[in-house]
Amino acid sequence: MKTLKVILFTLFLISTQSYSQVKVQQITYRIHDHYIATTIGYPIIGTYYSVGKKEPIIILNADGTGMLQNEDLSKKNITWGIECDDAGVPEFKEGFNSATYTFWYKLDNTEDWLYSQFSIHFNKKKMFIMGERVRDYEDEPEPQRTASK
């Protein structure tokens, strides 16, 4: 019995430490506060391309910075995050073989946060931002995710 308690306590410490390392940022959209983080348990960092094109792209960096390229190919630096709770647990809606998150971003040198959809399609191994920018991914072992909405 004592061994079981030690194992459970160790697992508890490991799980709280893995979530405690998530950097959470509080943002305000209109009058409501939201929380964002750059980790959701899937490899979201990288370059997202328009389907069948090399440009325009979106680049997401691990530190919450990135670049958004518009249809006219002009580039804007952004700060970004995925909506989560105040502890850093991502909020998403589970679909049939997919999950949909809220992608928050703001253009550098502006104060206004904007949002769009970020979705993961598990069978296709693809991630989409704004419904049109896509990247392939490989599964990585991460902490277990639970739906919060």
Side-chain angles (χ1 to χ4, degrees):
M1 185 67 170
K2 186 172 183 155
T3 305
L4 180 60
K5 287 182 180 179
V6 170
I7 291 171
L8 291 174
F9 181 72
T10 304
L11 289 173
F12 172 75
L13 287 178
I14 291 170
S15 66
T16 57
Q17 286 177 352
S18 66
Y19 273 112
S20 67
Q21 294 174 357
V22 174
K23 180 183 170 197
V24 177
Q25 180 181 355
Q26 183 176 349
I27 64 170
T28 302
Y29 176 72
R30 298 188 180 163
I31 61 169
H32 300 288
D33 291 334
H34 298 269
Y35 298 94
I36 60 172
T38 58
T39 58
I40 62 170
Y42 284 91
I44 62 175
I45 306 306
T47 303
Y48 293 76
Y49 297 91
S50 292
V51 177
K53 300 179 184 177
K54 291 183 179 181
E55 293 183 303
I57 62 172
I58 294 176
I59 298 173
L60 302 182
N61 300 317
D63 65 357
T65 63
M67 189 271 298
L68 169 70
Q69 189 176 32
N70 295 314
E71 289 296 323
D72 66 1
L73 303 185
S74 62
K75 297 178 181 179
K76 306 278 185 186
N77 290 325
I78 61 170
T79 302
W80 69 274
I82 300 291
E83 186 146 8
C84 62
D85 65 16
D86 61 350
V89 177
E91 296 180 353
F92 65 95
K93 292 182 182 173
E94 191 171 351
F96 180 72
N97 292 320
S98 67
T100 304
Y101 300 79
T102 302
F103 175 76
W104 289 95
Y105 68 100
K106 71 174 187 153
L107 303 175
D108 284 5
N109 302 319
T110 67
E111 297 299 318
D112 296 330
W113 284 92
L114 306 168
Y115 64 93
S116 186
Q117 181 176 307
F118 180 90
S119 62
I120 302 174
H121 301 265
F122 306 117
N123 285 349
K124 296 178 182 181
K125 299 286 189 220
K126 293 187 181 291
M127 298 179 184
F128 290 86
I129 296 179
M130 300 178 183
E132 62 182 24
R133 313 288 171 91
V134 63
R135 79 182 281 273
D136 296 332
Y137 76 95
E138 296 290 323
D139 285 324
E140 292 180 356
E142 292 284 340
Q144 185 177 359
R145 293 163 299 278
T146 58
S148 61
K149 284 189 178 178

